[in-house]
């Protein structure tokens, strides 16, 4: 370029550049009269520079945010500093159509506008020049970015849900593996214990008979003692009698045997529970009256109940239910015994309410007590095998896990409601009919 060019030429060059730049350029004076309007503005507004020059900007574009823009322009006139408006805060100043509406998806052109003070005659700002940049592409890209980020978030949420599901499935798997191996262990233990328990029980009965006979014999001998003439022999007998504390042994022996018998009964109950727990005895499916089953069960445990609670019954009319009746009875028994054991003896007789009902294809049996209730921790672990809060010898912690398995086998469920200090309500739901494939 010729450095010594005519200043008139360079002005013309500048004017043609301003005219042809792909940026909107316009200028207004303090009254809002348009002094410059380049072709970008003309093309996008549909108003030529001839239309615009000398006209009031706000009169020509009534849609402009007038109070805001007047304030903005005024601040540039007064302070002489640049001012801006950005598309992400104010999408557009002029309502220009997006020039790529088909690919873009945005109807209006997004605009960044910078307002520059122009000092044509020395110090005072006589014009404010607006330069308007088209940011539509950036806005579209940002929208796409937002969409992509949102999709990523959705995907991340879905993954988190999937991971949670996997964790649950894994826990269930672990739980069922644990249950299966506990089941096998239980079946093995039950089997092993059964034999020795059998012969200990039979020996104990014989021992009991022998003891009774021996005690009878001793009593007869004691009666005959005064008839022994040999003083030395009598002294020897008396010394031995005292050393052995025969009177006490005579009293204690039957009690020891009775306690051993009770112990055996307890072992048998544990073995029975273990067997049920591992489902080794499976009986036939049959249609049974659960109200009758509940009554029969209550009879079996009546001895445990009668001194501790009054029993209220609230039975509904039930259809015959396809079930393993003996096993459901065991569930009822576990629930009733638990209810009795939960009663607060310091409050006198408790109340146990047995209710039954029928709803659609289901029946329910409910055992409610007004005992001590359960803590949150106990409620959570209730169905765990071997979980008990009872003293050693009173609970094995198998009752509820056995019951849970039995109800599962019936494709039913157990609901629990418990309030510490107020009591507990168990409701067992079982379907009236089993599906065709009963496992
Ligand atoms: N009705 C109830 N009220 C309060 N707590 C209960 C009740 N039923 C069960 N529980 C709690 O749940 C625990 C587990 O019950 P579960 O019947 O499985 O075992 P257990 O009664 O302790 O022993 P087992 O039944 O084997 O003799 C109990 O130890 C007790 O803490
Ligand atoms: Mg129990």
């Amino acid at each position: 370029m010729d450095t010594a060019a005519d200043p008139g030429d360079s002005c013309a060059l500048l004017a043609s550049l301003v005219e042809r730049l792909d940026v909107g350029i316009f200028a207004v004076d303090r009254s809002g009269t348009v002094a410059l309007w380049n072709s970008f503005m003309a093309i996008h507004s549909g108003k030529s520079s001839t239309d615009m020059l000398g006209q009031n900007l706000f009169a020509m574009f009534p849609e402009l945010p007038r109070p805001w823009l007047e304030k903005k322009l005024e601040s540039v006139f007064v302070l002489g500093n640049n001012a801006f408006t950005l598309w992400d805060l104010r999408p557009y100043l002029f309502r220009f159509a997006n020039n790529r509406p088909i690919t873009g998806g945005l109807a209006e052109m997004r605009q960044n506008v910078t307002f520059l003070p122009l000092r044509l005659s020395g110090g005072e700002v006589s014009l404010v020049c607006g330069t308007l940049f088209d940011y539509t592409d950036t806005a579209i890209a940002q929208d796409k970015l937002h969409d992509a980020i949102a999709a990523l978030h959705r995907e991340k949420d879905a993954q988190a849900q999937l991971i949670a599901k996997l964790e649950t499935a894994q826990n269930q798997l672990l739980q069922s593996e644990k249950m299966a191996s506990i089941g096998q262990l239980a079946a093995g233990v039950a089997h092993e214990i059964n034999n020795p328990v059998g012969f200990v029980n039979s020996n104990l009965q014989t021992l009991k008979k022998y003891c009774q006979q021996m005690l009878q014999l001793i009593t007869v001998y004691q009666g005959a003692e005064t008839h022994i003439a040999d003083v030395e022999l009598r002294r020897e007998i008396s010394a031995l009698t005292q050393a052995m504390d025969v009177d006490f042994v005579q009293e204690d022996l039957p009690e020891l045997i009775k306690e051993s018998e009770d112990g055996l009964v307890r072992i048998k109950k544990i073995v029975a529970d273990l067997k049920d727990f591992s489902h080794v005895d499976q009986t036939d499916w049959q249609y049974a009256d659960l109200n009758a089953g509940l009554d029969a069960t209550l009879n079996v445990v009546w001895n445990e109940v009668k001194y501790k609670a009054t029993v209220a019954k609230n039975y509904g009319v039930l259809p015959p239910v396809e079930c393993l009746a003996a096993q459901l009875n065991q569930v009822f028994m576990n629930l009733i015994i638990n209810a009795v054991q939960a009663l607060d003896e310091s409050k006198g007789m408790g109340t146990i309410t047995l209710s039954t009902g029928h709803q659609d294809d289901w029946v329910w049996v409910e055992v409610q007590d007004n005992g001590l209730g359960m803590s949150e921790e106990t409620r959570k672990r209730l169905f765990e095998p071997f979980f008990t809060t009872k003293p050693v010898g009173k609970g094995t912690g198998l009752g509820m896990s056995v019951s849970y398995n039995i109800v599962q086998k019936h494709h039913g469920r157990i609901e629990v409601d418990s309030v510490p200090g107020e009591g507990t309500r168990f409701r067992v739901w079982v379907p009236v009919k089993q599906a065709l494939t009963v496992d």
Side-chain angles (χ1 to χ4, degrees), residues 269 273 334-335 337-343 367 369 371-374 378-379 381-384 386-390 394-403 418 423-426:
K269 181 186 175 280
D273 277 352
N334 287 333
L335 294 179
I337 297 283
N338 278 351
V340 173
Q341 289 174 341
L343 294 173
V367 178
D369 65 67
L372 297 167
M374 275 180 261
T378 300
R379 228 197 59 72
R381 303 190 56 194
L382 180 66
F383 297 109
E384 251 178 54
F386 301 107
F387 171 76
T388 181
T389 57
K390 293 168 192 170
K394 202 167 182 197
T396 55
L398 281 173
M400 288 314 297
S401 61
V402 167
S403 306
S418 188
T424 303
R425 185 174 66 95
F426 281 97

Side-chain angles (χ1 to χ4, degrees), residues 141-435:
Q142 183 149 320
D143 278 355
K144 283 188 181 154
L145 198 68
H146 282 314
D147 288 351
I149 290 172
L152 273 177
H153 277 302
R154 281 196 299 276
E155 209 165 296
K156 208 174 128 204
D157 288 349
Q159 274 177 358
Q161 277 178 7
L162 201 65
I163 289 171
K165 268 190 196 160
L166 276 175
E167 271 174 9
T168 316
Q170 193 192 14
N171 283 341
Q172 280 170 352
L173 207 64
L174 279 180
Q175 183 64 20
S176 61
E177 272 177 17
K178 205 167 88 185
M179 296 295 269
S181 51
I182 290 172
Q184 278 173 0
L185 183 78
V189 170
H191 182 73
E192 290 301 320
I193 292 178
N194 236 354
N195 281 343
V197 165
F199 66 72
V200 168
N201 191 34
S202 133
N203 290 354
L204 195 65
Q205 297 313 312
T206 317
L207 198 65
K208 189 173 164 185
K209 201 170 85 197
Y210 291 166
C211 277
Q212 280 164 352
Q213 289 167 349
M214 298 280 274
L215 287 176
Q216 271 174 357
L217 189 65
I218 289 172
T219 313
V220 176
Y221 274 130
Q222 278 173 332
E225 220 180 290
T226 46
H227 301 291
I228 297 172
D230 186 336
V231 176
E232 196 51 38
L233 186 57
R234 269 174 37 203
R235 193 173 295 134
E236 205 180 319
I237 291 172
S238 158
L240 257 178
T241 312
Q242 271 178 12
M244 280 174 56
D245 202 351
V246 169
D247 290 344
F248 175 74
V249 171
Q250 277 174 302
E251 243 175 60
D252 202 29
L253 210 55
E255 268 176 37
L256 288 182
I257 289 176
K258 173 84 179 68
E259 270 177 25
S260 303
E261 279 178 333
D262 289 348
L264 275 178
V265 169
R266 253 160 51 192
I267 294 175
K268 278 189 194 162
K269 181 186 175 280
I270 294 172
V271 171
D273 277 352
L274 285 172
K275 273 186 168 174
D276 276 318
F277 177 61
S278 54
H279 305 315
V280 282
D281 296 336
Q282 205 153 39
T283 46
D284 286 338
W285 288 87
Q286 54 194 267
Y287 279 91
D289 174 1
L290 296 196
N291 284 339
L294 195 55
D295 277 339
T297 309
L298 185 62
N299 282 342
V300 173
V301 295
W302 185 240
N303 218 27
E304 305 265 337
V305 181
K306 64 182 176 195
Y307 302 112
K308 294 181 183 154
T310 49
V311 175
K313 290 185 190 175
N314 198 2
Y315 293 177
V317 177
L318 302 184
V321 173
E322 190 181 3
C323 64
L324 298 167
Q327 295 200 9
L328 276 192
N329 288 348
Q330 189 176 354
V331 173
F332 305 152
M333 184 169 90
N334 287 333
L335 294 179
I336 296 171
I337 297 283
N338 278 351
V340 173
Q341 289 174 341
L343 294 173
D344 185 352
E345 284 180 33
S346 68
K347 290 191 181 158
M349 290 286 268
T351 306
I352 293 176
T353 312
L354 305 179
S355 320
T356 62
H358 177 207
Q359 197 180 308
D360 303 326
D361 296 333
W362 291 76
V363 295
W364 51 266
V365 174
E366 192 178 280
V367 178
Q368 181 170 17
D369 65 67
N370 62 348
L372 297 167
M374 275 180 261
S375 68
E376 185 58 24
E377 170 69 9
T378 300
R379 228 197 59 72
K380 277 194 198 141
R381 303 190 56 194
L382 180 66
F383 297 109
E384 251 178 54
F386 301 107
F387 171 76
T388 181
T389 57
K390 293 168 192 170
V392 180
K394 202 167 182 197
T396 55
L398 281 173
M400 288 314 297
S401 61
V402 167
S403 306
Y404 182 84
N405 280 311
I406 294 174
V407 175
Q408 280 279 91
K409 204 156 56 176
H410 286 78
H411 306 98
R413 62 182 194 277
I414 303 180
E415 290 172 356
V416 190
D417 253 328
S418 188
V419 181
E422 286 186 21
T424 303
R425 185 174 66 95
F426 281 97
R427 184 179 272 208
V428 177
W429 288 88
V430 281
V432 173
K433 272 191 178 66
Q434 295 295 315

Side-chain angles (χ1 to χ4, degrees), residues 63-72 84-94 109-113 115 133 135:
E63 76 271 18
L64 282 171
R66 185 168 186 160
W68 175 85
L69 186 54
E70 276 179 339
K71 232 164 104 186
K72 199 86 170 168
F84 310 90
T85 164
L86 302 175
W87 69 269
D88 44 355
L89 300 177
R90 180 182 289 275
Y92 45 80
L93 201 57
F94 292 91
M109 180 198 286
R110 297 297 185 257
Q111 302 153 15
N112 269 12
V113 184
F115 300 98
F133 296 86
Y135 266 77

